[in-house]
Amino acid sequence: MIREPARSDLDLGILARLHNVTKAYHTRHGELLACDQINLTVRKGGSVGIVGESGSGKSTLVRILQLIVRPTEGEVWLDEVRVSSLPERKLKPYRRNVQFVAQDPFGSLFPHMTVIQNVMEPLYVHGIGDRTSREGIALALLEQVGLSSDHLFVYPHEISGGQQQRVAIARALSLSPQLLILDEAVASLDVSIQAQVLNLLQELKKGLGLTFVFVSHNLAVIRQICDETVVMYLGRIVEQGNSRELFRNPSHPYTQALVRSIPAFTATGVTPLPPGKLMTGELVNSSGTSQGCSYYPRCPFAERVCLNENPELRQLRDGRWVSCHFAERLGAFSE
Amino acid sequence: MIVKVVINLEIRFNEPALTVKEHASRRRRSPLWQRFRRNKLAVLGATIVLILVLLAIFAPILSPYPYQEANFGATYQDPSFAHWFGTDSLGRDMLTRILWGMRNAFTVGFGAEVVELTLGLLLGAVAGYMGGLTDNVLMRFVDIVYAFPSLLFSIILIVLLGHSILTILIAVAATSWVGMARVVRSQVIKIRQTGYIEAARGMGASTWTIIRRQVLPNSMGPIVVAVSFGIPANMTIEAGLSVLGLGIQPPTPDLGELIIEGQQAVFSYPYLLIGPTVIFALALIGFVFLGDGFRDIFNTKSKR
Amino acid sequence: MTDLLKIEDLHVVFSSTGTVVRALNGLDLSLPVGHAIAIVGESGSGKSTLASAIMRILPSTSSTSGRVLFDGQDLLGLPSKEMRLIRGRSISMIFQNPTMYLNPTKTVGQQIIEPLLYHHLATPAQARKKAIDLLDQVGIPDPDHRFRNYPFEFSGGMLQRAMIAMALITDPKLLIADEPTTALDVTVQAEILVLLKALRKDRGMSLIFVTHDLAVAAQIADEIYVMYGGLVVEHINSSKIVTERAHPYLGGLIRSIPRVDVDPGPLYFIPGQPIRVGEELPPGCVFAARCQYRQPICKERPALLPVSQSHDVACWLPLKEGSA
């Protein structure tokens, strides 16, 4: 094991850390930077939301956190261990600590196993207990996520989407992971079911001290259950900070565009459609160019310096980090 | 460990928690079986196959006469009460010969299928799941075997190894297993991309565990269908080998041999051809209906 | 104001080997000329069936009854030949996933001009000119060049714009949009909604927007029809949706959507599951099983009755705002 006891993550209550993580893919059109210099800290008991649209690199980031994909550069630290340097065969105990709930609950459950067998499978894979004790744990978990005893011996295709997602959550919790990653976990659910699952996550966070990372393109959902929000655009973090504050006072132009695009209800009605153009042009996948700001092509406030210099992620005020040359000026644009 | 938390969800059902044993009694029936039963042709096929297989298994007990007993006083007898299917040129009872012929045919049919299944599963699953270089190498090997003229290969094998049932079985399976390998591989590739395989990897399961517990159970559909069509194919090959004189040697009866004999005497003694042919065809049809039935039920299932 | 589209007592039943699914159970709807209405529902509510029923593109396992009056004509009674003259010409439709509805082996341009050519409304040269013009109107840069691109060369949002262009090229009176923005990023969704609104105004076109997202519905439409269990349970002006909503289902839906203007606390949610496709409808009110205001009278199914101007509710106990 490779340890660096210089700064004690444990003392700071840090569970996972991504340090200058970059992931590059080689395509016909050149090098594609799915993730570019990502720095992320996840604290125990924290809830981090990662917001990004297609091409933002959030899926790659999630895969790196799950230890399924290795970063091209940078380090991944889990519980003070630099797991990114470990060989594949030593990763099993760490994989146990980071569990994942996918967007499509039906696709991620084992179709040939019953609900209870699905929840027991991780325990079997890691050789935990015997059949009886595994069943006991699975039963307790399914009860925790609110599934009745009627649903134990049915197959995934026989239950609804919301129930499937809850089974997926129960299964993910069976190994008592320290970190739970949810990737668009409520996107395919009906609104009323979405609310049930979101509430469940909040309860689990309070009751089990669960740490989770929630990835979504829906800023409103992230604001609902995550204390901290990270906004990604074309592989880079463009803004990060406290969720409520970020929503109230977005500083990066992209965050502002996101906030304005979300249809939501207020006390009197619905938020209006954004006037005119939020962003110019379409998403261009030119994430190979690390020279200027990645948002330059679409930014309504862009100036010359944005084309030439990539803005650093710097602290704007307490707890808020922004990657924009004009963040101070733009921060005043909040509604 | 897990901390039990009382969660105040409005949707909690107010039922006392049952023990797992009590839950088990509520297990559901397999819906596949019920769907299979609805397909009349499939059920017919299954019945035919079942009956013929049973007849073949119990051939030694059921046969009214020993199969090699020649009775020169009763040659070329028409079907009668004493000989349901008549007698052949040497006075041997045709019913007995057909029963034993079926027995051998099924032995080769099923036996070769077992060999094909084993080889095919092993190679196909490994090639399909591992992908990359492993897949390439294995598949090139499969291609080479596939390119062999199978009949020629079987002939060579039998000439080298002799005419016993076992060697014939091996000769039949030797080139047919590649079809199974391909079927298994394509299924495995399809499954490899699903969300639940990725979930299994994220859980920390090893490759072998995943193949054993996730990939193979979910590949069963097309494999079962391939087996249902593979058995009659094997039987046909075996009969074909007999026609070439490479099959089981007399006096052991063989359906292929019976058919050839019958064909030579068809104008004078048609019953010699009709008996074995009809039974053989019946067996093949039975398997084909069965295979079709399996294919239908597995297709509907995959439509989610 | 005359109604461009008026639907009366629409029933759609799907029957295949052994199973009978009642997708629509007596639906009434009216769309005034030039207006935009939204059909909102969760899965199993029947909203997509409604859109397909109007266009008469339901599969052959379905049987439809009722009346769908378009410009005075009952579409359900028309022979197929005449319906084909209306489809793609007076009524156009766009769908959720544009990549699935476009031919990957033909250029986008070729497909956009198809409706014009099929209905013999223009020569190929005229059609091409109109198509490029339309590509520009829907916000696709460099339309001349894009005309010759294949679908795989477009992003999701651009492809949806191209589909809108294809739907509008025959200048239809009515556009039916079946969840067109559900699969798109939220910023792209906003742009498409703005585009649709602008196009509508320019052309005086009517719009039926089907979605599961209540907030999107409120943004794009003048009136909202809320569906549950194959029935309309509430019909209300979008401006009044928060303040004057009456049906408990609508109230529950609004309260379960995360708000952005208040501090996040536990979300309200409607207990139970939405009625799944194929489930037997309860004899009384379809929502009663999940309703917190359930009363004995709810064992009888309430009809859709007006509560005020342009506001109908199917509930025995319409609630005033705030009390739900």
Side-chain angles (χ1 to χ4, degrees):
Chain A
M1 288 203 199
I2 305 136
R3 285 176 183 270
E4 267 197 25
R7 311 150 292 210
S8 180
D9 279 353
L10 224 49
D11 291 342
L12 298 170
I14 292 178
L15 192 55
R17 199 142 53 86
L18 293 175
H19 182 63
N20 282 347
V21 162
T22 302
K23 179 68 186 174
Y25 288 104
H26 298 281
T27 65
R28 284 172 299 158
H29 309 286
E31 201 180 54
L32 182 72
L33 285 175
C35 288
D36 192 0
Q37 300 288 311
I38 303 285
N39 280 288
L40 189 68
T41 308
V42 182
R43 293 204 147 70
K44 274 208 187 31
S47 47
V48 176
I50 303 185
V51 180
E53 299 181 306
S54 37
S56 59
K58 59 188 200 294
S59 314
T60 312
L61 186 60
V62 156
R63 286 219 176 88
I64 292 178
L65 262 176
Q66 277 183 275
L67 312 176
I68 294 184
V69 166
R70 281 187 196 278
T72 326
E73 283 169 33
E75 302 154 2
V76 180
W77 293 79
L78 213 56
D79 250 353
E80 296 202 336
V81 174
R82 190 163 62 197
V83 287
S84 43
S85 332
L86 292 180
E88 175 77 23
R89 63 179 184 283
K90 291 212 181 137
L91 285 177
K92 188 164 170 177
Y94 296 96
R95 289 228 178 92
R96 190 182 146 168
N97 260 329
V98 179
Q99 286 298 310
F100 180 71
V101 176
Q103 170 170 6
D104 178 15
F106 181 67
S108 68
L109 294 178
F110 302 122
H112 59 292
M113 292 186 179
T114 59
V115 160
I116 193 165
Q117 285 173 327
N118 260 281
V119 178
M120 293 194 310
E121 186 67 8
L123 297 168
Y124 173 88
V125 164
H126 287 267
I128 297 174
D130 62 352
R131 173 114 189 237
T132 324
S133 58
R134 288 200 283 262
E135 275 177 340
I137 295 177
L139 260 180
L141 283 166
L142 286 166
E143 226 181 317
Q144 257 182 330
V145 299
L147 283 173
S148 83
S149 45
D150 282 340
H151 297 118
L152 292 181
F153 293 99
V154 298
Y155 288 88
H157 66 272
E158 296 178 280
I159 54 177
S160 76
Q163 292 166 322
Q164 288 166 356
Q165 195 62 294
R166 278 188 268 150
V167 173
I169 293 175
R171 182 178 70 176
L173 293 175
S174 62
L175 293 174
S176 309
Q178 291 181 295
L179 178 61
L180 188 65
I181 305 181
L182 300 114
D183 191 349
E184 302 273 16
V186 295
S188 57
L189 301 178
D190 285 324
V191 159
S192 52
I193 307 297
Q194 178 176 291
Q196 291 174 7
V197 175
L198 289 176
N199 273 5
L200 170 65
L201 288 172
Q202 276 180 308
E203 294 278 357
L204 290 173
K205 176 172 142 197
K206 256 196 309 211
L208 298 178
L210 190 64
T211 311
F212 59 78
V213 170
F214 194 95
V215 180
S216 177
H217 64 274
N218 190 336
L219 200 40
V221 165
I222 289 197
R223 179 181 174 276
Q224 179 73 28
I225 57 167
C226 299
D227 295 326
E228 171 137 348
T229 300
V230 170
V231 181
M232 285 185 71
Y233 185 79
L234 282 185
R236 296 190 185 143
I237 296 182
V238 294
E239 186 161 6
Q240 118 182 39
N242 172 276
S243 303
R244 252 162 279 171
E245 282 297 315
L246 196 126
F247 210 94
R248 199 165 26 220
N249 240 325
S251 297
H252 193 283
Y254 178 60
T255 321
Q256 291 171 355
L258 272 182
V259 167
R260 284 210 210 104
S261 327
I262 298 176
F265 286 111
T266 60
T268 48
V270 73
T271 54
L273 278 173
K277 279 207 171 280
L278 291 167
M279 302 179 277
T280 55
E282 267 284 327
L283 184 70
V284 178
N285 248 334
S286 59
S287 44
T289 57
S290 34
Q291 207 188 356
C293 173
S294 53
Y295 195 58
Y296 174 75
R298 301 176 85 184
C299 184
F301 307 108
E303 295 185 19
R304 173 149 241 119
V305 58
C306 304
L307 178 57
N308 298 320
E309 255 181 66
N310 181 23
E312 262 185 27
L313 189 66
R314 54 200 173 80
Q315 208 175 84
L316 191 63
R317 41 180 173 276
D318 200 23
R320 180 78 71 89
W321 297 71
V322 189
S323 162
C324 175
H325 294 297
F326 305 111
E328 287 84 0
R329 207 204 302 168
L330 295 172
F333 272 81
S334 58
E335 266 114 349
Chain B
M1 277 285 110
I2 312 282
V3 175
K4 203 159 177 220
V5 175
V6 175
I7 297 181
N8 201 9
L9 295 176
E10 289 181 53
I11 51 170
R12 176 173 297 283
F13 299 92
N14 285 320
E15 278 182 39
L18 298 177
T19 63
V20 179
K21 281 220 182 61
E22 289 166 293
H23 287 306
S25 60
R26 296 193 190 182
R27 264 179 231 257
R28 306 276 187 91
R29 266 177 185 243
S30 169
L32 282 179
W33 178 235
Q34 286 167 334
R35 207 181 294 140
F36 184 80
R37 284 213 311 235
R38 258 189 260 151
N39 185 339
K40 299 286 183 267
L41 276 182
V43 174
L44 178 65
T47 317
I48 293 176
V49 168
L50 195 61
I51 292 176
L52 290 179
V53 167
L54 284 175
L55 285 178
I57 294 178
F58 293 111
I61 305 173
L62 293 171
S63 316
Y65 305 82
Y67 62 77
Q68 70 272 51
E69 183 183 275
N71 184 353
F72 291 100
T75 60
Y76 290 116
Q77 296 270 313
D78 277 348
S80 63
F81 194 63
H83 299 279
W84 289 10
F85 280 82
T87 61
D88 70 352
S89 57
L90 298 180
R92 295 179 288 199
D93 176 39
M94 281 304 288
L95 172 61
T96 307
R97 304 203 74 210
I98 290 175
L99 281 177
W100 278 89
M102 266 209 310
R103 186 182 165 87
N104 292 326
F106 278 130
T107 308
V108 172
F110 281 95
E113 195 60 29
V114 167
V115 173
E116 289 171 34
L117 195 58
T118 314
L119 280 176
L121 275 178
L122 248 145
L123 256 98
V126 171
Y129 191 77
M130 306 287 283
L133 187 62
T134 319
D135 183 21
N136 252 331
V137 166
L138 286 175
M139 278 304 112
R140 296 299 77 78
F141 173 59
V142 164
D143 286 342
I144 291 174
V145 174
Y146 190 67
F148 264 54
S150 42
L151 202 54
L152 215 52
F153 192 60
S154 311
I155 293 175
I156 295 175
L157 271 181
I158 291 178
V159 164
L160 287 178
L161 302 173
H163 288 254
S164 72
I165 286 195
L166 187 60
T167 55
I168 292 175
L169 194 155
I170 292 176
V172 169
T175 47
S176 309
W177 65 269
V178 290
M180 181 63 71
R182 287 232 177 108
V183 166
V184 172
R185 175 179 174 271
S186 77
Q187 256 311 91
V188 168
I189 287 179
K190 195 163 80 165
I191 289 174
R192 189 180 66 179
Q193 299 160 348
T194 56
Y196 59 88
I197 295 298
E198 197 172 306
R201 283 178 60 210
M203 235 173 252
S206 69
T207 305
W208 184 235
T209 308
I210 295 180
I211 292 183
R212 195 169 39 96
R213 284 177 74 85
Q214 317 301 343
V215 173
L216 287 181
N218 279 294
S219 322
M220 277 303 123
I223 293 177
V224 166
V225 174
V227 164
S228 313
F229 288 115
I231 294 176
N234 291 340
M235 289 166 63
T236 311
I237 296 176
E238 190 266 331
L241 288 174
S242 289
V243 167
L244 291 176
L246 295 166
I248 300 168
Q249 291 305 305
T252 317
D254 180 273
L255 280 180
E257 182 199 328
L258 291 179
I259 290 176
I260 280 291
E261 282 179 13
Q263 181 230 354
Q264 287 163 351
V266 67
F267 292 112
S268 335
Y269 307 104
Y271 62 88
L272 283 180
L273 178 62
I274 293 173
T277 313
V278 166
I279 296 294
F280 194 43
L282 208 57
L284 295 183
I285 289 182
F287 276 109
V288 166
F289 284 167
L290 195 59
D292 271 343
F294 281 138
R295 187 196 289 141
D296 284 342
I297 56 170
F298 286 116
N299 266 341
T300 330
K301 182 188 186 189
S302 69
K303 259 206 222 138
R304 285 204 204 164
Chain C
M1 175 159 297
T2 47
D3 286 336
L4 179 65
L5 184 73
K6 192 163 171 59
I7 300 181
E8 289 169 6
D9 198 32
L10 187 62
H11 286 259
V12 172
V13 176
F14 292 96
S15 43
S16 65
T17 50
T19 42
V20 168
V21 175
R22 292 177 200 286
L24 292 179
N25 302 294
L27 192 131
D28 297 307
L29 185 148
S30 36
L31 169 63
V33 172
H35 272 222
I37 63 171
I39 315 252
V40 183
E42 297 180 298
S43 46
S45 57
K47 59 189 192 300
S48 286
T49 311
L50 174 59
S52 304
I54 297 174
M55 286 286 265
R56 281 183 54 185
I57 53 176
L58 288 171
S60 51
T61 50
S62 64
S63 67
T64 315
S65 70
R67 301 216 300 167
V68 176
L69 296 166
F70 178 69
D71 242 359
Q73 247 186 341
D74 183 8
L75 295 181
L76 296 182
L78 285 181
S80 318
K81 245 201 305 204
E82 289 186 40
M83 186 67 210
R84 257 181 269 142
L85 293 178
I86 294 184
R87 223 185 267 133
R89 185 175 169 176
S90 318
I91 311 182
S92 281
M93 192 158 169
I94 60 176
F95 302 87
Q96 175 171 347
N97 201 342
T99 39
M100 289 207 298
Y101 288 87
L102 287 174
N103 190 334
T105 62
K106 284 182 161 181
T107 64
V108 166
Q110 279 174 305
Q111 299 184 63
I112 293 185
I113 61 176
E114 260 175 24
L116 280 182
L117 298 181
Y118 176 74
H119 290 286
H120 305 295
L121 292 172
T123 66
Q126 292 170 326
R128 187 174 180 279
K129 186 165 174 306
K130 189 162 184 191
I132 295 182
D133 193 34
L134 220 68
L135 282 176
D136 185 45
Q137 277 182 46
V138 298
I140 293 182
D142 200 7
D144 228 359
H145 184 215
R146 289 302 219 164
F147 184 87
R148 285 170 270 143
N149 281 152
Y150 286 87
F152 73 87
E153 297 176 272
F154 283 70
S155 71
M158 298 278 255
L159 212 51
Q160 195 58 288
R161 289 174 201 257
M163 265 200 64
I164 293 175
M166 184 160 80
L168 297 182
I169 199 162
T170 52
D171 296 314
K173 296 188 192 155
L174 170 62
L175 175 66
I176 304 181
D178 191 355
E179 305 234 41
T181 56
T182 304
L184 301 175
D185 286 332
V186 68
T187 48
V188 179
Q189 170 177 269
E191 289 175 0
I192 301 274
L193 292 176
V194 167
L195 173 68
L196 279 175
K197 222 170 180 165
L199 287 170
R200 239 182 30 78
K201 226 166 74 171
D202 288 344
R203 293 157 171 265
M205 186 178 67
S206 313
L207 172 68
I208 296 183
F209 195 97
V210 180
T211 177
H212 68 278
D213 189 334
L214 198 48
V216 166
Q219 281 183 335
I220 185 102
D222 306 313
E223 291 169 36
I224 297 181
Y225 284 80
V226 181
M227 286 188 66
Y228 189 82
L231 294 166
V232 174
V233 293
E234 185 154 6
H235 160 219
I236 186 172
N237 255 325
S238 45
S239 53
K240 307 207 181 101
I241 194 168
V242 174
T243 47
E244 289 182 32
R245 55 179 169 75
H247 198 281
Y249 176 57
L250 181 55
L253 274 187
I254 293 181
R255 285 162 58 202
S256 29
I257 299 174
R259 290 264 287 267
V260 295
D261 56 338
V262 295
D263 275 348
L267 280 173
Y268 173 81
F269 59 86
I270 308 173
Q273 317 279 338
I275 295 185
R276 288 171 64 183
V277 181
E279 254 179 53
E280 273 295 317
L281 276 187
C285 170
V286 288
F287 186 64
R290 306 171 74 188
C291 184
Q292 53 179 139
Y293 303 102
R294 184 169 55 234
Q295 308 268 308
I297 194 179
C298 301
K299 290 214 182 81
E300 258 183 67
R301 190 174 294 177
L304 189 68
L305 296 171
V307 151
S308 65
Q309 168 78 341
S310 288
H311 187 184
D312 312 311
V313 184
C315 179
W316 295 114
L317 320 153
L319 306 154
K320 293 302 170 215
E321 56 95 11
S323 57

